[in-house]
Amino acid sequence: MKKPNIVILGAGYGGIMTAVKLQKSLGVNEANIKLVNKHSYHYQTTWLHENAAGTLHHDRTRIQIKDVIDTSKIDFIQDTVLSIQPDEKKVTLENTTLDYDYLVMGLGFEAETFGIPGLKEHAFGINNINSSRLIRQHIEYNFAKYNNVKEPGEELLNIVVGGAGFTGIEFVGELANRVPELCKEYDIPREKVRIINVEAAPTALPGFDPALVEYAMNSLESRGVEFKIGAMIKEVTPKGLVYEKDEERVEIPSNTVVWAAGVRGNSIVEDSGFEAMRGRVKVREDMRTPDYDDVFVVGDCALIINEETDRPYPPTAQMAIQQADTVAHNVKVLARGEKELEPFEPNIQGTVASLGHDDAIGVVFNGKKLFGWSASVMKKVIDNRYLLKLGGIGLLLKKGKFNIFH
Ligand code: FAD
């Protein structure tokens, strides 16, 4: 029998975990496996807000793909996916074309700007390593500029974050820690700097338990974060952000507007003709697309409805990692010419949002609420557990977070 070609697109949480699982479960004589990713590294998307704020160096977040995959079993191709032709079972990359028998799409997320004027052009996004590095350097540049111009304007020191959901809150938490350090470094009085978090919904962290939301807002406000809740972002301009609240239009002058309020699946998915809602394919229970028996989707490009709420599960790293188990299993079954595919069953073990170095909120283990230091330790445990699963004890020791007092 011909060895099937398995192609995995994207080495995010979903893609790389699928690859790591397949390299353990399939022998070299059973399949040719190719993993395609834009960069030579996998990155921990869930740490990017720390890189963007400057509280964690981006090299901690990057993991060289060749350090975690077995290159005798998996052929890693560093290239950019341009499009997929599912009817021809081909993938077009920038530098070559690949044929597949089984495809796994794990191309992750993009920012969703909801058509807000100026957002794409003038706001920054915490989307990947490079966009996060840009935010860090841009903030530092503006702080450095402050004492080097005759009449420094407040736009240099106003940092505006669009969205007080999970990512927005985690980012302002890091900024609240970073800003005092930057003020010392650049001789700027702390009270000159504003961190402003703008949210359209009637509450921060929509969907979280109200007691956790209250704790988070109090903690962040006590460290200087200003919230504009129920404030609809109308426009981002080269001069700042405009929002409307209680029928009043307010403009915040700022050189640094960071959009953290919406994601969608990678647009390559729908541009390649897959039926998708904002880049997310409503997959079958075995994680295959509705129309193609040989195409699986993993991570943020997959849409799964929670039967209890009749709403889609939020796209998370936790889901992507769990889905990878099912996808790898099912790809292995098909590659061996077998038929029994298993359904994906999410096992949500809780959610923890960080509020800075040693503060967090979360819900774990059947609804138990965690606040402050204990939640922050739990966040590090979750992060470390992933590293262990991905690359064993060696990777955990190299990249893990062990300082529970910081
Ligand atoms: P991604 O992690 O997005 O990775 C996609 C990969 O595909 C990347 O390696 C990228 O380089 C590659 N790629 C993309 N396009 C191409 C192309 N054209 N060609 C080649 N390669 C390409 N979730 C949680 O569960 N817990 C958290 O605490 C949490 N915190 C978060 C904090 C922040 C700041 C953000 C932004 C997200 C957070 N999330 C969290 C959500 C989580 O990070 C995502 O759900 C998760 O990253 C999705 O994983 P993925 O495998 O779909 O793809």
Side-chain angles (χ1 to χ4, degrees), residues 12-14 37-38 45-46 81 108 166 266 268 299-300 316-318 379:
Y13 292 97
N37 196 60
K38 218 181 243 183
T45 310
T46 60
V81 179
F166 199 94
N266 196 313
I268 289 175
D300 281 11
T316 62
Q318 184 179 177
K379 181 95 181 165

Side-chain angles (χ1 to χ4, degrees), residues 154-156 158 160 194 196 239-241 251-255:
E154 58 180 308
E155 71 280 357
L156 294 172
N158 282 347
V160 186
R194 291 174 72 194
I196 307 151
K239 292 183 170 170
L241 176 138
E251 179 168 354
I252 312 174
S254 174
N255 285 352

Side-chain angles (χ1 to χ4, degrees), residues 160-175:
V160 186
V161 179
F166 199 94
T167 302
I169 286 290
E170 287 205 317
F171 181 49
V172 294
E174 294 303 317
L175 285 175

Side-chain angles (χ1 to χ4, degrees), residues 65-194:
I65 291 170
K66 290 199 168 157
D67 287 350
V68 287
I69 61 162
D70 178 347
T71 48
S72 68
K73 287 186 163 176
I74 296 195
D75 182 12
F76 172 59
I77 301 174
Q78 185 181 341
D79 207 336
T80 299
V81 179
L82 298 182
S83 63
I84 302 156
Q85 293 82 46
D87 292 321
E88 295 158 45
K89 296 174 162 251
K90 282 187 189 308
V91 180
T92 306
L93 310 181
E94 214 164 71
N95 299 302
T96 185
T97 302
L98 301 176
D99 293 307
Y100 66 79
D101 296 296
Y102 301 106
L103 181 72
V104 178
M105 294 196 290
L107 291 169
F109 71 92
E110 288 173 5
E112 172 63 273
T113 53
F114 303 112
I116 297 173
L119 198 56
K120 239 188 219 153
E121 296 79 7
H122 306 300
F124 295 88
I126 310 173
N127 303 327
N128 51 50
I129 290 280
N130 290 315
S131 75
S132 303
R133 289 179 75 174
L134 180 62
I135 295 171
R136 173 193 184 142
Q137 297 202 355
H138 175 82
I139 292 174
E140 290 204 23
Y141 173 75
N142 279 278
F143 275 59
K145 204 168 168 188
Y146 187 80
N147 282 319
N148 285 291
V149 287
K150 255 198 186 136
E151 286 173 20
E154 58 180 308
E155 71 280 357
L156 294 172
L157 303 182
N158 282 347
I159 305 171
V160 186
V161 179
F166 199 94
T167 302
I169 286 290
E170 287 205 317
F171 181 49
V172 294
E174 294 303 317
L175 285 175
N177 284 136
R178 179 67 177 142
V179 160
E181 292 171 5
L182 284 175
C183 287
K184 268 195 202 145
E185 248 173 77
Y186 291 97
D187 302 321
I188 293 168
R190 171 65 186 88
E191 62 278 8
K192 297 265 185 205
V193 183
R194 291 174 72 194

Side-chain angles (χ1 to χ4, degrees), residues 47-59:
W47 294 4
L48 288 178
H49 57 289
E50 298 175 54
N51 306 141
T55 47
L56 183 78
H57 193 272
H58 51 269
D59 280 342

